């Protein structure tokens, strides 16, 4: 067997029927890790084989009664673990061992999951290609010459190459949705505050969200039902009970009665910000809209005029918060000295220090906060008449490794479709929507706050119709 052919759902079904063991899953993960991790540069740490097999043995002898019994998971290396080092993709934390575990890790373990290893990522989660990692870029599972997408680069490739059945990521401006889209996966950035960030190294605290990458919508809903919820250790978790995401999935058989918002402002802004959209990707995006219509959904034009300012707003607020959060890495309390910071982290520290400094704060930070409020209000208004908003994830498929390394500004521009969602604290889900040549691409459905149930239900109808998720990388 190869774990690559399984989903969490199918693996649990077979384990519960007695035809598969957690041990088989672990051995297959380890085989794929051995085969691919160096060439694709996927994982930064892997748990010891004997420990993994001991965990699997315990689960195999005690039954599979937990929601994720025996399911192998890879964590982005920004989630604190006591067993493995936590680097955040940076040389500053190269040998850092956290004294406690993130709430999400604890919840996953309690649900029966087995933590296989920690995934490569852009250092401190700054980036959208994975190339800002101090440990080198990760390749797309679909073509080794292309980037995996970032910042949760290794988390995506690990699922696609069969090193685990699901992974965790963080999304501050697209870092779950972009790599999911570049690796034919489902990636959800949940509502701000839906999942605890306790024990997760902070990037930009008013924007960071925690979510998962999986092969299917069902698997994603299962992961979120385990990790979501109020956490006394994280005061930003919302006081909202966790919905039954798994039942929600089958609540819709068609999309009759569902209204999908499309904003010409939002779409044109993306085209203007970059060199236009990749024409084949644009065609796939239109085809995806056609599928939604064929499934019964109504497409409605909506106004989101300030999405054109979202990118500038994000790139003032994000570095401001980054510069503040990275202040603690002074070489005294954690890890190596500040000399170990890479170029992108230095750039953001400098921009953020500038935008927060006396005399410039009002002009930059405060103005950006005001525009942020306008973006939030526009989405709120749009959601009065539509169930979800439709958008691309990125203006192009995976770039070649090295294509953007000397042009950070061009790279920032490619975040145009994802950052508005974080500014407004909404939920955004990236769904497989086809291929441009060898490279997979996704589309994005955006829902209002706490609408994960609805997003999953709508996405599930689309997924069952298109079946892109059945494609696997040809490795
Ligand atoms: N690409 C965005 C940035 O570099 C988003 C990163 C993220 O979501 N962690 O800021």
């Amino acid at each position: 067997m190869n774990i690559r052919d399984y989903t969490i759902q199918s693996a649990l079904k077979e384990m519960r029927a007695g035809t598969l063991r957690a041990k088989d899953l672990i051995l297959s993960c380890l085989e794929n890790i051995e085969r691919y991790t160096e060439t694709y540069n996927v994982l930064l740490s892997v748990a010891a084989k004997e420990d993994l097999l001991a965990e699997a043995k315990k689960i195999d002898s005690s039954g599979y009664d937990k929601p994720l019994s025996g399911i192998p998971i890879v964590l982005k290396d920004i989630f604190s673990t006591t067993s493995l080092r936590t680097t955040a993709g940076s040389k500053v934390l190269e040998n850092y061992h956290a004294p406690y575990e993130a709430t999400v890790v604890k919840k996953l373990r309690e649900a029966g999951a087995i933590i296989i290893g920690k995934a490569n990522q852009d250092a401190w989660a700054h980036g959208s290609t994975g190339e800002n990692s101090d440990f080198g870029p990760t390749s797309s599972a679909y073509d080794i010459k292309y980037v995996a997408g970032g910042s949760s680069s290794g988390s995506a490739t690990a699922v696609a190459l069969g090193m685990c059945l699901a992974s965790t990521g963080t999304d501050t401006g697209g870092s779950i949705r972009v790599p999911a889209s570049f690796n034919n996966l489902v990636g959800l950035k949940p509502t701000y505050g839906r999942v605890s960030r306790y024990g997760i190294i902070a990037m930009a605290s008013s924007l960071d969200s925690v979510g998962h990458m999986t092969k299917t919508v069902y698997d994603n809903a299962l992961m979120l039902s385990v990790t979501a919820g109020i956490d006394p250790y994280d005061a930003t978790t919302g006081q909202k009970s966790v919905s039954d995401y798994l039942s929600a999935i089958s609540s819709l058989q068609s999309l009759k009665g569902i209204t999908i918002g499309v904003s010409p402002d939002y779409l044109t802004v993306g085209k203007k910000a970059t060199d236009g959209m990749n024409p084949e990707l644009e065609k796939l995006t239109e085809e995806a809209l056609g599928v939604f219509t064929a499934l019964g959904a109504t497409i409605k034009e909506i106004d989101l005029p300030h999405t054109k300012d979202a990118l500038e707003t994000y790139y003032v607020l994000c570095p401001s918060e980054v510069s503040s959060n990275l202040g603690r890495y002074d070489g005294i309390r954690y890890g190596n000295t500040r000399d170990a910071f890479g170029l992108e982290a230095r750039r953001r520290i400098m921009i953020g220090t500038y935008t927060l400094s006396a005399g410039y704060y009002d002009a930059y930070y405060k103005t950006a906060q005001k525009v942020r409020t306008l973006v939030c209000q526009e989405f709120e208004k749009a959601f009065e008449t539509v169930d979800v908003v439709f958008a691309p994830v990125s203006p192009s498929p995976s770039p070649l490794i090295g294509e953007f390394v000397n042009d950070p500004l061009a790279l920032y521009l490619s975040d145009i479709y994802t950052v508005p969602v974080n500014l407004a604290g909404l939920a955004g889900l990236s769904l497989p929507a086809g291929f441009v040549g060898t490279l997979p691409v996704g589309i994005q459905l955006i829902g209002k706050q706490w609408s994960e149930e609805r997003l999953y239900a709508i996405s599930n109808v689309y997924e069952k119709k298109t079946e892109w998720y059945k494609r696997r990388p040809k490795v």
Side-chain angles (χ1 to χ4, degrees), residues 186-209:
V186 176
L188 175 77
K189 173 242 171 282
T191 306
Y192 182 78
R194 178 67 298 181
V195 180
S196 164
R197 297 179 299 175
Y198 178 70
I200 293 163
I201 293 169
M203 177 178 167
S205 307
S206 78
L207 300 156
D208 295 344
S209 297

Side-chain angles (χ1 to χ4, degrees), residues 76 78 121-122 124-129 132 150-152 170-179 203-204 207-209 314-315 318-319 322 344 348 411-412 414-415 418-419 422:
K76 184 176 186 177
I78 204 162
Q121 58 162 98
D122 283 301
W124 311 104
H126 305 163
S128 28
T129 62
N132 290 331
S151 64
S152 313
T170 54
D171 190 313
T172 304
S175 283
I176 290 175
R177 288 162 286 161
V178 171
M203 177 178 167
L207 300 156
D208 295 344
S209 297
Y314 174 87
Y315 275 104
C318 172
V322 160
E344 184 60 27
R348 295 197 192 209
L411 197 61
Y412 291 171
S414 70
D415 293 332
T418 45
V419 296
N422 300 70

Side-chain angles (χ1 to χ4, degrees), residues 10 287 309 411 421:
S10 67
E287 277 170 23
D309 306 309
L411 197 61
V421 177

Side-chain angles (χ1 to χ4, degrees), residues 146-460:
Y146 292 84
V147 303
S151 64
S152 313
S153 48
S155 296
T157 311
V159 179
L161 290 174
M163 299 176 181
C164 59
L165 283 172
S167 61
T168 64
T170 54
D171 190 313
T172 304
S175 283
I176 290 175
R177 288 162 286 161
V178 171
S181 151
F182 289 175
N183 287 278
N184 202 34
L185 300 173
V186 176
L188 175 77
K189 173 242 171 282
T191 306
Y192 182 78
R194 178 67 298 181
V195 180
S196 164
R197 297 179 299 175
Y198 178 70
I200 293 163
I201 293 169
M203 177 178 167
S205 307
S206 78
L207 300 156
D208 295 344
S209 297
V210 173
H212 310 292
M213 283 183 252
T214 54
K215 293 195 188 99
T216 61
V217 173
Y218 181 95
D219 283 7
N220 212 287
L222 178 54
M223 288 288 287
L224 189 68
S225 53
V226 167
T227 59
I230 303 161
D231 181 5
Y233 292 113
D234 177 357
T236 63
T237 46
Q239 302 296 309
K240 275 256 177 194
S241 57
V242 178
S243 319
D244 184 352
Y245 303 123
L246 288 180
S247 320
I249 282 199
S250 41
S251 65
L252 291 179
Q253 301 315 317
S254 82
L255 297 183
K256 282 204 185 75
I258 298 292
T259 308
I260 298 182
V262 175
S263 159
D265 303 315
Y266 198 1
L267 297 182
T268 355
V269 155
K271 289 183 208 168
K272 277 192 194 151
T274 57
D275 290 337
M277 236 175 118
N278 172 293
E280 280 177 76
L281 173 56
E282 192 166 8
K283 202 167 137 247
L284 282 177
T285 310
E286 275 157 24
E287 277 170 23
L289 259 187
V291 175
F292 283 113
T293 315
L295 287 166
T298 308
I299 310 293
K300 185 175 185 292
E301 207 173 291
I302 50 167
D303 287 332
L304 292 172
H306 280 91
T307 38
K308 73 174 183 328
D309 306 309
L311 204 69
E312 286 88 338
T313 309
Y314 174 87
Y315 275 104
V316 169
L317 297 178
C318 172
S320 302
E321 295 183 21
V322 160
S323 76
S324 160
N325 275 326
L326 292 184
R328 69 183 67 126
Y329 300 100
D330 49 12
I332 297 169
R333 279 161 291 197
Y334 314 90
N336 297 319
T337 64
R338 298 177 76 77
D339 298 345
F341 274 120
L343 275 183
E344 184 60 27
R346 286 168 192 236
R347 187 177 294 125
R348 295 197 192 209
I349 292 169
M350 287 198 295
I351 297 175
T353 309
Y354 180 76
T355 51
L356 290 179
S357 58
Y360 295 102
Y361 177 92
D362 282 353
Y364 294 104
Y365 186 78
K366 208 164 153 197
T367 310
Q369 287 290 30
K370 288 182 184 164
V371 181
R372 180 181 195 170
T373 303
L374 294 176
V375 174
C376 295
Q377 286 169 347
E378 279 169 18
F379 271 110
E380 251 167 55
K381 184 147 180 278
F383 286 123
E384 284 170 10
T385 59
V386 300
D387 294 283
V388 289
V389 173
F390 174 91
V393 178
S394 181
S396 71
S398 306
L400 279 166
I401 292 179
E403 199 175 327
F404 282 112
V405 279
N406 295 319
D407 196 352
L409 192 62
L411 197 61
Y412 291 171
L413 297 179
S414 70
D415 293 332
I416 180 67
Y417 294 121
T418 45
V419 296
V421 177
N422 300 70
L423 286 176
L426 308 170
L429 188 140
S430 164
L431 261 179
F435 285 75
V436 172
T438 50
L439 303 169
V441 287
I443 45 143
Q444 190 179 191
L445 292 182
I446 301 165
K448 62 180 171 198
Q449 294 190 334
W450 316 109
S451 70
E452 283 78 6
E453 268 172 291
R454 200 78 175 147
L455 269 184
Y456 280 140
I458 296 171
S459 305
N460 185 53

Side-chain angles (χ1 to χ4, degrees), residues 132-143:
N132 290 331
S133 168
D134 289 349
F135 301 94
T138 302
S139 290
S140 159
Y142 284 81
D143 196 327

